[in-house]
């Protein structure tokens, strides 16, 4: 209840502020027609009978626009945001105030019918606000991207693609009232989050936002808006993977990334316009999945309006077999092994398909293989099967991961005794899996000078002092050695 009350209060405050600015505190602004497709009429005080809109025409307070069938209109707002209208849409600009010095925008538009797309400037100052009113709803948009679909005298649907949009159910009479100073009756506000929709019925009732999959609901209208938004400031587009090979009948998912200033990026895979330069070789669907049909090469492109990125897709002959090399390998924990996949095709050609094959490991704890065949041994010793597949064919290799002794440490590093005394040394082995083990009983112990110190034949690692001097005590196992020092000193005379 506290959250709902706060939201209602915020909307009321906004409406009060709108009343204030409408009294002349801020100058009127205009929206500009920046993209016109088809036929759109505008009705103004100077042209009450209506006239055709042209690109770069201005739309001001109290102007009404009607978009005809098979037509669309984009309006650029004074602060850099956009409103777009679909075919058969009718919108009245009830208020449009803009303070150029501060960048403050107040906009209130009545959408009687049709679809509207609002991309509201993310850099808008805190005081700015945009309201879209329909016969059943009030939608307050700021720092957001949303779609508003209005059916005359029926319901309103709000879909949010970026940001958070408050939506309020409003009686028709309240929605038509300009400059009201209180929230409409039967207010039931909700916050519609990113990738959520809400339907506002003609009859007042509870609003229940629900999640939606943008890929599942995309159509030509939504795709056009997403591309118009993505085009602004776009520097380049890259398509991945680069220069790939598939066999006839196989498919490959491509990804498109848009690049903007300051190293920012945006995934545009699901709404870019995809095309193939040779549809007989490879066809590509609207979401970037290409299917090989005939042998040859095709340029796969992802476009946002006039800008595109592309890569080459090769469709090869049917693959007969795959050979993975080396066929077997033994490496220690943490080591890296590069495998290569060579494909033999129906025309008896052999080609390196390492980058196109799908790589797998039978046990990722023992060894992990990436998309390029590069395999990293884990900390678990054992054997893993590394396979490369393309189409219905696959090849295999065996990778054995062993736990290997890296070093031996003799402790203590140095000791001092007198002739006839004993000193015990220990040996600790360090392994490739970053574990250690006591090797005292299994290493081979040696002394560098048996005249000074000898190894005890009964207890491993124990040294017997003979006469004054120093000797090196060495522990060796599997050709790995470690050493310490023993010093024998005579007892000074009393």
């Amino acid at each position: 209840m506290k959250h709902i009350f706060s939201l209602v209060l915020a909307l009321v405050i906004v409406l009060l502020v709108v009343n204030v600015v409408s009294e002349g505190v801020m100058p009127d602004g205009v929206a500009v027609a920046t993209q016109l497709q088809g036929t759109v009429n505008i009705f103004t005080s100077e042209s009450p009978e209506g006239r055709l809109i042209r690109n770069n025409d201005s739309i001001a307070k109290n102007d009404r626009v009607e978009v005809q069938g098979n037509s669309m209109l984009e309006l650029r707002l004074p602060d850099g945001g956009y409103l777009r209208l679909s075919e058969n849409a009718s919108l009245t600009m009830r208020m449009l105030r803009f303070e150029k010095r501060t960048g403050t925008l107040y906009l209130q538009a009545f959408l009687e019918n049709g679809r509207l797309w609002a991309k509201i400037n993310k850099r808008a100052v805190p005081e700015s606000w945009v309201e879209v009113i329909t016969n059943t709803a009030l939608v307050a948009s700021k720092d957001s991207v949303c779609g508003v679909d209005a059916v005359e005298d029926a319901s309103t649907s709000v879909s949010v693609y970026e940001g958070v949009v408050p939506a309020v159910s409003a009686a028709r009479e309240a929605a038509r009232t300009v400059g009201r100073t209180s929230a409409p009756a039967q207010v039931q506000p909700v916050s519609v989050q990113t990738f959520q929709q809400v339907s506002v019925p003609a009859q007042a009732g509870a609003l229940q936002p629900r999640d939606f999959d943008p890929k599942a609901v995309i159509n030509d209208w939504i795709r056009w808006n997403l591309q118009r938004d993505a085009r602004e400031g776009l520097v380049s587009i890259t398509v991945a993977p680069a220069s790939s090979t598939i066999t006839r009948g196989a498919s490959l998912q491509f990804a498109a990334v848009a690049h903007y200033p300051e190293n920012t990026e945006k995934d545009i895979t699901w709404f870019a316009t995809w095309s193939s330069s040779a549809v007989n070789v490879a066809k590509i669907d609207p979401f970037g999945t290409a299917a090989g049909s005939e042998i040859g090469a095709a340029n796969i492109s992802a476009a946002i309006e006039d800008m595109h990125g592309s890569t080459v897709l090769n469709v090869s002959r049917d693959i007969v077999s795959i050979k993975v090399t080396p066929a077997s390998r033994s490496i220690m924990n943490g080591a890296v092994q590069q495998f290569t996949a060579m494909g033999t095709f129906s025309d008896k050609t052999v080609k390196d398909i390492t980058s196109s094959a799908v790589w797998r490991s039978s046990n990722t704890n023992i060894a992990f293989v990436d998309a390029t065949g590069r395999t990293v041994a884990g900390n678990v010793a054992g054997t893993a099967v590394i396979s490369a597949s393309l189409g219905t064919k696959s090849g295999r290799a065996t990778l054995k991961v062993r736990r290997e002794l890296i070093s031996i440490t003799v402790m203590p590093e140095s000791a001092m005794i007198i002739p006839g005394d004993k000193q015990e040394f220990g040996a600790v082995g360090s392994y490739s899996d970053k574990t250690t083990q006591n090797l005292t009983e299994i290493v081979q112990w040696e002394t560098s000078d048996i005249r000074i110190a000898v190894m005890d034949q009964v207890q491993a690692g124990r040294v017997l002092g003979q006469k004054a001097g120093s000797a090196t005590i060495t522990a060796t196992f599997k050709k790995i050695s470690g050493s310490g020092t023993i010093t024998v000193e005579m007892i000074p005379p009393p």
Side-chain angles (χ1 to χ4, degrees):
M1 289 298 295
K2 183 178 180 181
H3 172 71
I4 293 176
F5 176 79
S6 299
L7 186 56
V8 173
L9 181 60
L11 289 171
V12 171
I13 292 173
V14 169
L15 294 173
L16 288 172
V17 172
V18 169
N19 258 355
V20 172
V21 299
S22 67
E23 294 173 359
V25 176
M26 299 177 64
D28 287 332
V30 295
V32 179
T34 51
Q35 186 69 219
L36 172 64
Q37 297 182 20
T39 302
V40 181
N41 296 317
I42 182 170
F43 301 85
T44 67
S45 58
E46 291 81 10
S47 302
E49 301 302 319
R51 64 173 176 81
L52 293 177
I53 288 181
R54 298 179 299 272
N55 279 326
N56 299 318
D57 276 359
S58 296
I59 289 83
K61 178 183 176 181
N62 295 327
D63 291 348
R64 179 167 62 89
V65 294
E66 291 184 356
V67 184
Q68 304 305 308
N70 299 317
S71 304
M72 291 184 291
L73 174 66
E74 176 183 85
L75 300 175
R76 184 178 181 90
L77 303 178
D79 69 340
Y82 289 94
L83 293 182
R84 301 191 189 95
L85 295 169
S86 72
E87 62 177 358
N88 303 318
S90 176
L91 179 133
T92 300
M93 192 69 70
R94 291 185 169 181
M95 180 179 298
L96 182 54
R97 303 280 186 175
F98 180 65
E99 174 57 58
K100 186 175 181 181
R101 181 179 60 84
T102 62
T104 305
L105 172 71
Y106 288 106
L107 184 151
Q108 186 184 81
F110 174 58
L111 180 66
E112 184 174 357
N113 193 53
R115 294 176 294 183
L116 176 143
W117 186 276
K119 180 180 185 295
I120 307 306
N121 197 342
K122 288 188 175 182
R123 297 181 299 276
V125 296
E127 293 78 12
S128 294
W129 204 269
V130 172
E131 288 183 341
V132 176
I133 299 174
T134 71
N135 285 318
T136 65
L138 184 151
V139 179
S141 183
K142 183 178 180 181
D143 297 347
S144 59
V145 176
C146 69
V148 180
D149 298 355
V151 179
E152 187 174 7
D153 295 326
S155 63
T156 301
S157 175
V158 181
S159 303
V160 179
Y161 287 81
E162 288 184 23
V164 179
V165 174
V168 177
S169 175
R172 178 175 178 176
E173 293 75 13
R176 288 186 179 275
T177 301
V178 182
R180 61 186 183 275
T181 58
S182 62
Q186 303 299 323
V187 171
Q188 293 178 324
V190 294
S191 291
V192 190
Q193 310 290 323
T194 300
F195 295 144
Q196 282 191 335
Q197 292 177 327
V198 68
S199 180
V200 185
Q203 300 298 323
L207 306 181
Q208 298 296 330
R210 62 189 184 280
D211 296 338
F212 73 95
D213 180 0
K215 298 179 183 178
V217 301
I218 193 169
N219 53 32
D220 291 343
W221 163 250
I222 296 173
R223 191 184 302 275
W224 181 69
N225 281 285
L226 290 170
Q227 290 196 11
R228 290 293 295 167
D229 292 346
R231 181 62 183 86
E232 189 172 11
L234 179 60
V235 175
S236 63
I237 297 173
T238 55
V239 178
S243 189
S244 301
T245 299
I246 60 175
T247 59
R248 289 183 299 185
S251 298
L252 182 63
Q253 175 66 58
F254 287 92
V257 176
H259 301 274
Y260 297 90
E262 299 180 0
N263 297 320
T264 57
E265 298 180 346
K266 183 180 182 69
D267 182 1
I268 59 172
T269 303
W270 63 284
F271 63 84
T273 299
W274 290 93
S275 63
S276 168
S277 64
V279 293
N280 61 315
V281 174
K283 296 181 180 179
I284 191 159
D285 71 12
F287 301 106
T289 300
S293 303
E294 297 294 338
I295 297 169
N299 287 322
I300 302 299
S301 299
I304 294 294
E305 297 189 345
D306 59 332
M307 188 169 291
H308 73 278
S310 62
T311 187
V312 176
L313 175 64
N314 297 294
V315 180
S316 68
R317 295 160 178 80
D318 296 334
I319 192 165
V320 176
S321 63
I322 298 175
K323 181 180 181 181
V324 178
T325 57
S328 63
R329 191 73 172 172
S330 177
I331 60 177
M332 65 181 181
N333 302 102
V336 176
Q337 174 64 49
Q338 177 66 55
F339 286 96
T340 301
M342 303 299 294
T344 300
F345 295 86
S346 54
D347 62 351
K348 299 183 179 180
T349 59
V350 178
K351 186 174 182 179
D352 188 337
I353 59 170
T354 303
S355 61
S356 301
V358 177
W359 292 90
R360 292 186 178 88
S361 169
S362 63
N363 191 324
T364 55
N365 291 322
I366 295 175
F368 172 80
V369 61
D370 67 13
T372 66
R374 183 177 182 271
T375 306
V376 180
N379 284 333
V380 178
T383 301
V385 176
I386 306 300
S387 63
S389 302
L390 190 62
T392 59
K393 304 298 179 181
S394 63
R396 297 181 176 184
T398 301
L399 181 67
K400 182 179 180 181
V401 177
R402 62 184 187 274
R403 178 175 179 265
E404 194 160 296
L405 180 64
I406 301 299
S407 64
I408 294 176
T409 301
V410 173
M411 297 182 296
E413 293 182 3
S414 63
M416 182 181 295
I417 60 175
I418 61 176
D421 273 0
K422 301 174 182 179
Q423 173 65 45
E424 294 183 1
F425 285 91
V428 177
S430 297
Y431 288 82
S432 57
D433 62 354
K434 299 181 181 180
T435 62
T436 58
Q437 182 176 335
N438 188 344
L439 303 178
T440 304
E441 299 292 334
I442 60 176
V443 298
Q444 179 180 347
W445 292 97
E446 292 181 340
T447 175
S448 63
D449 193 335
I450 59 176
R451 296 172 301 170
I452 296 173
V454 297
M455 303 305 304
D456 191 337
Q457 300 302 311
V458 177
Q459 182 174 328
R462 189 162 62 184
V463 177
L464 304 177
Q466 301 294 307
K467 69 173 187 177
S470 293
T472 300
I473 307 301
T474 304
T476 304
F477 183 67
K478 292 186 176 181
K479 298 182 180 179
I480 303 296
S481 299
S483 61
T485 303
I486 185 74
T487 300
V488 182
E489 289 190 354
M490 299 298 294
I491 300 177

